[in-house]
Amino acid sequence: MAICICVFHKIADEPILYGLAKASATTARGGYNDLPEFIAAAKFLAPPIPYVSNKPTLQSQFANFCHNNQRCVAKLFTFNASTIALLRAKAMSDDVLMPTWVEAVTTLIWKCVILVGVDTGTSKLVNQVNIRRRFVPPLPNHCVGNVVAVATTCKDENDGSDLTTLIYYIRKSLSELSFKYVDKESRDEAIFAIPHDFMELTKGQILGRSLYKLVACVV
């Protein structure tokens, strides 16, 4: 039996989708006392800016671009626990003492893309980041909504492409993202900037810029 879950992205993001799947499995096992409480993220965040437009959005243009572009290829890579542990050890340095498994795997994929010659100049990597735990104070893990931001990591042509260098750049971009949510004033400003960041990301992909997007949400 295969069970599929589909959610409208204006309502929830990937972390909540995973949480719903896990809660459903917990219920099926009879663990009713272990269910999380799903709360609307809107209770904690600033209200959205009203905006209405009948023009095609960049997101819809990008969807059409992907569907009409025969060069788009999807591949699945699987890393077992021992491989990830070895990769994390190789990526360790004085700047990044304890790389996360997401950082290590992301760095390896980015490095491979650079080495095969797809990108010969400035390279940009975009991570979608779950920012619930990056707020001060942090938001509940199961607050429903789109509580995701983008962290863009840049590497110039003359910068190194080894694991330790690339993972340092990724860690730096994630740290800089966290600084945006340390107080209410900067937090609200950062939240209002999230739609603009996503629009810039989509625009870059439509125009064929050197921009690589990893869909895994970084916790």
Side-chain angles (χ1 to χ4, degrees), residues 10-11 27 30 49 58 60 86 96 107 118 123-124 126 149 159 161 169 176-177 191 195-196 207 212 216:
K10 288 186 177 181
I11 298 176
T27 303
I49 301 175
L58 281 174
S60 63
L86 179 61
V96 183
T107 302
V118 174
S123 180
K124 292 184 179 180
V126 174
D159 293 335
S161 300
Y169 290 151
E176 291 174 349
L177 182 67
I191 290 174
H196 177 268
L207 298 178
Y212 308 110

Side-chain angles (χ1 to χ4, degrees), residues 32-219:
Y32 302 103
N33 296 327
D34 299 325
L35 293 177
E37 181 182 4
F38 291 93
I39 307 173
K43 294 179 61 175
F44 308 96
L45 306 178
I49 301 175
Y51 177 73
V52 178
S53 174
N54 294 323
K55 297 180 180 180
T57 63
L58 281 174
Q59 285 86 347
S60 63
Q61 295 177 35
F62 181 57
N64 293 331
F65 167 78
C66 288
H67 293 156
N68 297 328
N69 192 338
Q70 300 299 322
R71 296 174 299 173
C72 291
V73 177
K75 292 187 178 181
L76 177 65
F77 300 94
T78 303
F79 299 84
N80 58 35
S82 59
T83 301
I84 292 178
L86 179 61
L87 184 59
R88 293 177 65 185
K90 288 184 176 180
M92 200 176 298
S93 68
D94 293 337
D95 295 315
V96 183
L97 297 177
M98 294 293 292
T100 66
W101 71 266
V102 174
E103 290 173 334
V105 173
T106 299
T107 302
L108 177 63
I109 296 175
W110 190 19
K111 176 183 177 181
C112 291
V113 171
I114 295 172
L115 292 181
V116 297
V118 174
D119 184 8
T120 57
T122 300
S123 180
K124 292 184 179 180
L125 176 76
V126 174
N127 275 304
Q128 295 185 6
V129 184
N130 177 7
I131 56 176
R132 288 169 175 81
R133 309 308 298 173
R134 296 174 184 266
F135 282 92
V136 178
L139 300 184
N141 286 330
H142 296 91
C143 58
V144 181
N146 277 276
V147 196
V148 177
V150 294
T152 304
T153 307
C154 301
K155 184 197 82 69
D156 292 331
E157 183 177 0
N158 297 325
D159 293 335
S161 300
D162 56 282
L163 287 177
T164 54
T165 299
L166 294 180
I167 204 169
Y168 166 72
Y169 290 151
I170 292 175
R171 174 66 65 86
K172 182 180 178 181
S173 67
L174 295 176
S175 299
E176 291 174 349
L177 182 67
S178 297
F179 290 147
K180 296 180 179 180
Y181 305 100
V182 294
D183 57 63
K184 187 179 185 304
E185 182 177 355
S186 60
R187 182 185 69 185
D188 291 348
E189 182 180 347
I191 290 174
F192 289 139
I194 289 176
H196 177 268
D197 293 340
F198 272 102
M199 294 290 277
E200 288 298 310
L201 165 62
T202 307
K203 183 178 179 181
Q205 291 173 311
I206 293 176
L207 298 178
R209 295 174 181 167
S210 300
L211 200 64
Y212 308 110
K213 175 184 175 184
L214 296 185
V215 297
C217 286
V218 180
V219 177

